[in-house]
């Protein structure tokens, strides 16, 4: 598609965003909503609509090549991402659940379940800074060097002469055994061939008829298969063979994507060069004029103050903003009035009026009915500013002469004039302070105040003590080298969030309306992890203002994809992966000092290499109620006290996320576990829809072909209770290289996967119920159970009231 198409897509997104802003920031504030269900529907509607704007802006940001448009687009995109996160957290607070089912909202908006998927912006990886790429390359080189060293150690293992002779003898005996076995098999086949005499004419005719039958049957089956495939292609059930392989259109689209990336880089480089050149040009040509204008304004202010008050004013200090605050949308008279009002309030003249106003406000609040209101947003102001910038400049701008989408010189000049003025104003303020001192000394015979920067002394506030740097004399490379050697720094597996397969839960709203809590689908899990982990780690602007999440716990039975999600988060955001699992740190950095050094290393390097993910596999082991005998040597509880302290050191600007994975959270102290991990995400076994998608996608991924002979529906039904890990192992057992070669003659069947699948122990219903019951004991689960009990009590009271009213009528 052309650049015009993506500009129109951006314009459509801005139109929808302006409508959302009008609804979110009305002229008359909305009354608090008493009905929790109605309020949640409003939140859900806003969430879905913002998600559609998010998807459109992400697509436009990926393809637009105009450098100045991309900057504004990126700011608006990050604001929309942040607002989506805020609405998600607000829905969690109001519904007391991490999972929300909005199929009714999708039906009202005429959208498909795919529209609820969280798009992951491509710029998370593409637009990383040079320092970040250098650090990532350094870690990759260290990991590769370690792997090469380990391989060399294995290859160059010394072997005695006797061992070498024994290995050669074993290989030769095996070769001779295989040869003898092949000869014996050939001789057995020769013995089985019956001796035949010359065939009679009757036997030859019968053989010819048999051959004809077989051939005609083969031809008819082939025709039937071809007709069936044509029908399936016509109905859209399968793809045409020419579309299964990369066609010319796909190859052309890939080439266009590469061309777009090159254009974006080229236009960005030209823009940066123009910014530097225009800034120097403006500083030389207009700098002196700007300085003279500022001086003239300040002198005029001096004289106005002298005429009004009889004395020269005090010049604002540099920390207060200097002369910039004098002309900030207010003249001197307005400033005098505000100062007078402040003095009156300070002296107590308006205390009585203030008390009356406070009394009226409190009385009004008491009279006002209690209800639910939207929480204040940190992103709506940015969205308003971005929407205004688009409407003022880009919406009505004709770009018929800018076919190549190069930067706008006049826009650069407008932006840089403001920066140059602020830069010159600082220098002019220094000169005007001296000039004001001379005026005072000459006219009022009073020396001016001495403006100096405050130094930290006894009266100044002491800085808070931060974490002591135990490795201040070491380089980042040496720290990474040590952590790789100790197994604390690892390479993330090459998986993405889209590889976490699963279907949408189509009955979630219906079940909740009937007071049945549904188990989340794998699609729901993918969306929640993308929101809480991928978006904040990928964008610094989103992480700085969005609700802060320091630690997430993924709880679920083995094989549901917890480890895969951790690696997918790292791959989507380019995050560095650290491993603090009890098994990985066993026997390393012993003692209290060693443990302190280990945590210091991990969290220090994680901040320097951000975004970073600190993974703790077996997170429940750190909070065991009773440590099993076989795990006592591992000391799984050694980080129980120190890890929460290290989490407190993570600040809002640190894109560091701790992700714990637990397969048996029931064995842990739930209070300590939930205190460490602020978000607990429950991952159940896959439902029928997810199992169907998993079987289909995984079989195709391993080279298998989906034919009518393979009954996926039955396979998904009988595999109830088995996880994605079980399915992968069963598929790897069945689909071997030899089986792939036989697919044309003998297609895959569902019965082939039953035997290897039966070797695994499934997740039974009682195990899932126990996990569900455990989740109700978490803080969020308790809130939901309490809310459900209150609704039940209210319903019973309403029923009793109706019954009493009926008796009174009788």
């Amino acid at each position: 598609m052309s650049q015009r198409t993506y500009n129109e897509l951006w314009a459509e997104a801005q139109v929808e965003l302006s409508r959302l802003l009008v609804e979110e920031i009305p002229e008359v504030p909305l009354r608090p909503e008493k009905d929790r269900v109605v309020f949640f529907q409003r939140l859900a509607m806003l969430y879905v609509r913002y998600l559609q704007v998010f998807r459109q802006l992400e697509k436009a940001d990926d393809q637009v090549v105009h450098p100045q448009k991309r900057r504004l687009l990126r700011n608006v995109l990050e604001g929309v991402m942040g607002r989506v996160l805020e609405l998600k957290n607000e829905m969690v607070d109001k519904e007391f659940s991490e999972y929300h089912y909005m199929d009714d909202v999708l039906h009202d908006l005429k959208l498909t379940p795919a529209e609820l998927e969280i798009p992951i912006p491509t710029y998370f990886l593409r637009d990383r800074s040079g320092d970040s790429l250098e650090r990532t390359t350094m870690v990759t080189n260290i990991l590769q060097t370690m792997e090469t060293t380990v391989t060399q150690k294995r290859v160059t293992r010394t072997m005695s002469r006797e061992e070498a002779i024994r290995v050669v003898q074993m290989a030769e005996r095996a070769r001779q055994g295989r040869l003898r076995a092949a000869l014996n098999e050939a001789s057995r086949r020769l013995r089985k061939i019956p001796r035949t005499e010359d065939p009679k004419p009757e036997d030859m005719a019968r053989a010819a008829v048999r051959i004809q039958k077989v051939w005609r049957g083969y031809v008819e089956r082939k025709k039937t298969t071809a007709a069936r495939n044509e029908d399936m292609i016509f109905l859209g059930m399968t793809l045409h063979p020419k579309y299964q392989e990369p066609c010319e259109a796909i190859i052309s689209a890939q080439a266009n994507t590469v061309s777009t990336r090159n254009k974006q880089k080229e236009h960005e480089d030209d823009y940066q060069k123009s910014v530097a050149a225009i800034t120097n040009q403006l500083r030389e040509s207009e700098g002196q004029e700007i300085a003279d204008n500022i001086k003239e304004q300040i002198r005029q202010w001096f004289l106005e103050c002298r005429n009004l008050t009889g004395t020269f004013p005090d010049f604002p200090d540099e920390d207060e903003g200097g002369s910039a605050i004098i002309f900030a949308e207010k003249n001197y008279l307005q400033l005098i009035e505000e100062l007078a009002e402040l003095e009156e309030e300070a002296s107590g003249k308006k205390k009585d009026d203030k008390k009356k106003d406070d009394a009226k406000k409190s009385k009004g609040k008491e009279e006002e009915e209690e209800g639910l209101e939207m929480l204040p947003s940190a992103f709506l102001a940015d969205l308003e500013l971005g929407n205004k910038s688009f409407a003022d400049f880009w919406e009505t701008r004709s770009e018929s002469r800018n076919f190549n989408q190069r930067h706008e010189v006049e826009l650069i000049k407008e932006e840089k004039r403001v920066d140059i003025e602020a830069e010159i104003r600082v220098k002019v303020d220094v000169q005007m302070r001296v000039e004001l001192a001379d005026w005072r000394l000459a006219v009022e015979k009073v020396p001016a105040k001495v403006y100096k920067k405050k130094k930290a002394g006894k009266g100044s506030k002491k800085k808070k003590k931060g974490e002591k740097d135990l490795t201040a004399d070491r380089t980042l490379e040496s720290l990474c080298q040590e952590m790789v050697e100790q197994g604390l720094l690892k390479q993330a597996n090459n998986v993405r969030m889209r590889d976490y397969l699963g279907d949408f839960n189509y009955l979630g709203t219906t079940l909740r309306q009937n007071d049945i809590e549904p188990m989340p689908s794998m699609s729901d899990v993918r969306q929640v992890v993308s929101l809480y982990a991928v978006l904040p780690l990928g964008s610094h602007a989103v992480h700085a203002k969005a609700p802060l999440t320091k630690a997430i716990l993924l709880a679920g039975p083995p094989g549901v994809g917890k480890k895969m999600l951790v690696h997918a988060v790292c791959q989507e955001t380019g995050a560095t992966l650290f491993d603090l699992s009890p098994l990985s740190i066993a026997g390393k950095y012993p003692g209290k000092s060693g443990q302190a050094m280990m945590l210091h290393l991990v969290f220090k390097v994680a901040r320097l290499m951000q975004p970073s993910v600190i993974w703790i596999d077996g997170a429940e082991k750190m909070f065991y109620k009773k440590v099993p005998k076989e795990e006592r040597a591992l000391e799984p509880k050694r980080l129980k006290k120190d890890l929460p302290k290290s989490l407190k050191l993570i600040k809002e600007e640190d894109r560091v996320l701790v992700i714990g994975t637990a397969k048996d959270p029931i064995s842990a102290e739930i209070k300590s576990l939930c205190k460490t991990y602020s978000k607990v995400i429950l991952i159940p076994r896959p439902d029928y829809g997810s199992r169907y998608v998993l079987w289909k996608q995984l079989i195709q991924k391993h080279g298998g072909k989906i034919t009518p002979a393979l009954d996926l529906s039955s396979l998904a039904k009988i595999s109830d209770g088995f996880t994605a890990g079980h399915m992968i192992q069963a598929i790897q057992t069945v689909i071997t290289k030899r089986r792939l070669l036989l697919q044309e003659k003998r297609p895959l069947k569902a019965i082939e996967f039953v035997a290897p699948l039966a070797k695994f122990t499934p997740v039974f219903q009682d195990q899932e119920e126990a996990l569900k019951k455990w989740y109700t004991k978490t803080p969020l689960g308790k809130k939901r159970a309490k809310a459900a009990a209150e609704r039940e009590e209210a319903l019973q009271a309403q029923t009793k009231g109706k019954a009493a009213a009926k008796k009174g009528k009788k």
Side-chain angles (χ1 to χ4, degrees):
M1 289 190 285
S2 64
Q3 288 296 305
R4 181 179 178 181
T5 304
Y6 292 107
N7 287 330
E8 291 175 354
L9 182 66
W10 179 26
E12 291 174 6
Q14 289 289 160
V15 170
E16 178 63 18
L17 181 60
S18 61
R19 292 173 186 160
L20 285 167
L21 290 174
V22 169
E23 293 181 20
E24 289 228 69
I25 314 173
E27 294 181 1
V28 180
L30 298 174
R31 290 183 177 180
E33 181 61 54
K34 295 177 67 177
D35 191 341
R36 187 176 290 273
V37 176
V38 174
F39 185 78
F40 178 80
Q41 285 297 109
R42 188 195 304 171
L43 287 175
M45 187 70 73
L46 286 173
Y47 173 81
V48 175
R49 290 173 64 188
Y50 268 112
L51 206 53
Q52 306 319 304
V53 175
F54 177 15
R55 183 170 282 102
Q56 290 177 310
L57 290 175
E58 192 278 326
K59 192 179 295 183
D61 175 74
D62 185 48
Q63 295 295 325
V64 168
V65 299
H66 196 295
Q68 290 156 309
K69 287 182 181 177
R70 291 185 69 210
R71 274 164 171 73
L72 179 58
L73 231 169
R74 183 70 54 79
N75 292 336
V76 177
L77 175 60
E78 289 176 337
V80 171
M81 283 194 288
R83 188 59 187 145
V84 167
L85 281 173
E86 287 180 337
L87 290 171
K88 172 65 179 178
N89 279 274
E90 196 161 354
M91 287 192 294
V92 171
D93 291 339
K94 298 301 182 291
E95 205 180 28
F96 309 119
S97 175
E98 296 289 354
Y99 298 103
H100 313 291
Y101 306 101
M102 293 173 278
D103 35 315
D104 53 342
V105 177
L106 294 178
H107 182 268
D108 294 340
L109 296 176
K110 294 180 174 58
L111 299 174
T112 62
E115 302 294 328
L116 281 180
E117 288 293 329
I118 307 299
I120 298 174
T122 54
Y123 79 86
F124 283 177
L125 295 175
R126 192 178 69 243
D127 294 349
R128 297 168 67 189
S129 63
D131 294 340
S132 177
L133 290 174
E134 287 179 5
R135 291 194 295 266
T136 304
T137 305
M138 178 191 67
V139 172
T140 305
N141 293 336
I142 293 173
L143 288 166
Q144 290 177 351
T145 305
M146 289 295 297
E147 290 178 2
T148 306
T149 306
V150 172
T151 306
Q152 288 177 351
K153 286 180 180 179
R154 290 176 182 173
V155 172
T156 58
R157 187 175 67 86
T158 57
M159 182 183 293
S160 64
R161 182 179 297 178
E162 290 78 10
E163 288 178 340
I165 293 172
R166 194 178 301 113
V167 170
V168 173
Q169 287 176 345
M170 289 172 64
E172 179 61 22
R173 288 168 187 162
R175 186 191 68 81
Q176 292 179 5
R178 288 193 296 269
L179 185 59
R180 282 196 298 272
L183 292 172
N184 292 335
E185 181 66 23
S187 63
R188 279 196 296 272
R189 288 177 181 173
L190 288 173
R191 290 196 203 100
K192 289 180 180 179
I193 298 175
R195 295 180 181 180
T196 57
E197 299 177 356
D198 296 334
K200 297 179 181 180
E202 296 177 0
D203 295 336
M204 291 180 67
R206 193 178 299 169
V209 171
R210 184 174 294 177
I211 292 171
Q212 289 174 359
K213 285 181 179 180
V214 172
W215 174 251
R216 287 171 183 168
Y218 170 74
V219 171
E220 290 300 321
R221 284 193 298 274
K222 197 170 182 181
K223 289 180 180 178
T224 305
T225 303
R228 178 181 174 81
N229 290 337
E230 288 179 3
D231 293 341
M232 298 294 283
I233 291 169
F234 176 74
L235 295 172
M237 302 294 286
T238 58
L239 287 175
H240 195 278
K242 71 177 182 180
Y243 296 121
Q244 292 177 359
E245 296 180 358
C247 58
E248 293 182 4
I250 295 176
I251 295 171
S252 176
Q254 292 173 349
N256 289 337
T257 302
V258 174
S259 175
T260 301
R261 297 287 178 267
N262 294 334
K263 281 184 181 179
Q264 287 176 343
K265 188 176 185 306
E266 179 187 347
H267 291 191
E268 180 65 24
D269 293 341
D270 291 345
Y271 172 74
Q272 295 294 345
K273 291 176 183 177
S274 297
V275 167
I278 291 171
T279 303
N280 293 331
Q281 180 185 351
L282 288 175
R283 191 179 285 113
E284 293 175 0
S285 61
E286 301 180 11
Q288 186 61 41
E289 183 181 353
I290 293 172
D292 293 341
N293 290 336
I294 294 174
K295 287 181 180 178
E296 187 62 30
Q297 288 177 355
I298 295 174
R299 289 192 185 105
Q300 187 66 27
W301 178 65
F302 289 165
L303 296 174
E304 287 179 3
C305 292
R306 170 75 179 172
N307 294 333
L308 290 171
T309 63
T311 59
F312 288 112
D314 292 334
F315 203 95
D317 197 1
E318 184 180 350
D319 297 337
E320 298 172 354
S323 61
I325 66 166
I326 301 171
F327 310 103
E329 299 179 0
K330 294 176 183 177
N331 55 31
Y332 181 73
L333 291 174
Q334 289 173 331
L335 289 172
I336 291 293
E337 290 176 2
E338 286 188 3
L339 290 171
E341 289 177 2
L342 290 173
E343 288 177 1
E344 287 177 2
E345 288 181 4
S347 61
K349 290 182 179 179
K350 293 188 176 181
K351 282 185 179 180
D352 297 335
D353 296 338
K354 191 176 180 182
K355 287 180 181 179
K356 291 178 181 178
D357 293 340
D358 292 341
K360 288 180 181 179
K361 288 180 182 179
S362 61
K363 188 177 180 181
K365 287 181 181 178
E366 290 176 1
E367 293 176 355
E368 187 180 5
E369 295 180 356
E370 293 183 358
L372 299 171
E373 291 182 321
M374 299 280 284
L375 297 175
S377 171
F379 292 94
L380 284 178
D382 296 337
L383 289 175
E384 274 193 301
L385 183 61
N387 195 49
K388 186 176 182 301
S389 301
F390 173 79
D392 292 347
F393 192 84
W394 296 110
E395 187 175 17
T396 57
R397 189 172 183 81
S398 174
E399 294 189 288
S400 57
R401 296 183 180 180
N402 190 12
F403 180 76
N404 292 325
Q405 293 291 288
R406 296 283 180 175
H407 55 267
E408 302 284 345
V409 175
E410 291 301 322
L411 189 59
I412 296 176
K413 288 182 178 180
E414 290 178 10
E415 293 175 353
K416 289 302 163 186
R417 279 193 182 100
V418 177
D419 297 338
I420 291 171
E421 183 179 349
E423 178 186 334
I424 293 174
R425 187 178 292 277
V426 175
K427 298 177 181 178
V428 169
D429 285 353
V430 176
Q431 299 173 8
M432 297 310 294
R433 286 190 184 94
V434 176
E435 187 171 328
L436 177 62
D438 295 340
W439 285 20
R440 276 186 166 175
L441 191 60
V443 177
E444 299 176 355
K445 307 298 181 182
V446 177
K449 292 182 179 179
V450 180
Y451 292 91
K452 293 182 180 180
K453 291 185 178 179
K454 296 178 181 179
K455 296 182 180 180
K458 294 181 180 179
S460 62
K461 293 183 180 179
K462 295 181 180 179
K463 294 183 179 179
K464 293 183 179 179
K465 291 185 178 179
E467 183 185 9
K468 186 179 179 182
D469 194 351
L470 303 176
T471 54
D473 57 339
R474 294 182 59 181
T475 62
L476 178 61
E477 187 174 358
S478 67
L479 296 176
C480 292
Q481 179 78 31
E482 179 182 343
M483 295 179 71
V484 170
E485 291 174 356
Q486 296 294 333
L488 301 179
L489 181 58
K490 295 184 176 180
Q491 184 75 40
N493 297 338
N494 189 18
V495 292
R496 296 297 182 92
M497 291 301 296
R498 62 175 176 267
D499 298 329
Y500 189 78
L501 305 171
D503 201 9
F504 182 76
N505 192 337
Y506 298 93
L507 296 175
T509 303
T510 306
L511 291 172
R512 276 194 171 170
Q513 287 174 352
N514 291 282
D515 295 329
I516 300 172
E517 183 61 26
M519 294 301 285
S521 67
M522 298 179 77
S523 174
D524 299 325
V525 174
R526 184 172 61 243
Q527 293 172 28
V528 170
V529 174
S530 297
L531 284 169
Y532 288 151
V534 177
L535 296 187
L537 283 178
S539 171
H540 180 75
V542 174
H543 188 275
K545 294 184 179 180
L548 182 62
T549 301
K550 295 183 179 181
I552 297 174
L553 179 68
L554 305 178
V560 294
K562 301 184 293 295
K563 179 181 176 181
M564 179 183 177
L565 285 170
V566 174
H567 289 273
V569 169
C570 295
Q571 286 293 338
E572 294 290 359
T573 58
T576 312
L577 180 63
F578 300 87
D579 190 357
L580 275 180
S581 306
L583 191 61
S584 298
I585 64 175
K588 300 171 184 176
Y589 297 96
K592 289 186 178 180
S593 59
Q595 184 170 305
M597 175 61 76
M598 179 179 65
L599 288 173
H600 169 75
L601 279 174
V602 170
F603 281 88
K604 178 183 177 180
V605 178
R607 292 190 198 96
L608 295 174
M609 300 282 292
Q610 58 181 289
S612 301
V613 171
I614 301 174
W615 175 37
I616 303 177
D617 190 21
E620 76 278 9
K621 297 180 180 180
M622 197 180 298
F623 304 97
Y624 265 147
K625 296 174 185 175
K626 185 178 180 181
V627 181
K629 290 182 180 180
E630 59 273 12
E631 295 185 18
R632 286 178 184 172
L634 300 177
E635 298 183 52
K637 300 176 71 172
R638 60 183 296 201
L639 296 181
K640 182 179 179 180
K641 293 182 179 179
D642 293 340
L643 182 64
K645 295 178 182 177
S646 299
L647 281 174
K648 291 179 181 178
L649 298 174
I650 298 177
K651 301 176 183 177
E652 292 183 358
E653 61 269 17
D654 298 330
R655 284 188 290 161
V656 178
L657 180 65
V658 177
I659 303 181
T661 54
K663 62 181 179 181
D664 185 24
I666 302 173
S667 61
E669 297 174 1
I670 191 167
K671 187 176 180 181
S672 303
L673 187 69
C674 294
K675 191 176 180 181
T676 303
Y677 297 95
S678 56
K679 294 285 184 183
V680 180
I681 299 173
L682 183 64
I683 307 178
R685 56 184 184 173
D687 54 5
Y688 170 81
S690 296
R691 292 196 301 274
Y692 186 92
V693 172
L694 280 166
W695 281 117
K696 183 178 180 180
Q697 298 290 337
L698 291 174
I699 288 173
Q700 290 178 337
K701 185 178 180 181
H702 286 80
K705 293 182 179 180
I706 306 298
T707 62
L710 180 58
D711 190 355
L712 287 175
S713 180
S714 299
L715 192 58
K717 185 67 176 175
I718 64 174
S719 57
D720 185 14
F722 292 94
T723 63
H726 296 149
M727 296 178 193
I728 292 173
Q729 293 182 56
I731 290 169
Q732 290 174 346
T733 303
V734 173
I735 303 181
T736 59
K737 290 183 179 180
R738 184 174 180 276
R739 187 65 185 88
L740 290 175
L741 296 173
L742 296 174
Q743 277 190 110
E744 296 296 333
K745 297 180 181 178
R746 187 160 57 89
L748 289 169
K749 294 183 179 180
I751 192 66
E752 298 180 56
F753 298 94
V754 174
L757 196 65
K759 295 179 181 178
F760 305 110
T761 304
V763 180
F764 295 104
Q765 185 69 29
D766 56 348
Q767 292 176 288
E768 188 172 272
E769 290 297 328
L771 195 62
K772 196 174 178 180
K773 186 178 179 181
W774 169 84
Y775 187 75
T776 58
K777 298 178 182 178
T778 61
L780 200 62
K782 288 179 180 178
K783 290 180 181 178
R784 183 160 183 82
K786 184 180 178 182
E790 289 176 355
R791 284 197 303 269
E792 186 67 25
E793 290 177 1
L795 186 62
Q796 290 178 0
Q798 188 178 0
T799 306
K800 290 179 180 178
K802 288 181 180 179
K806 286 182 180 180
K807 287 182 179 179
K809 287 180 181 180
K810 290 179 180 179

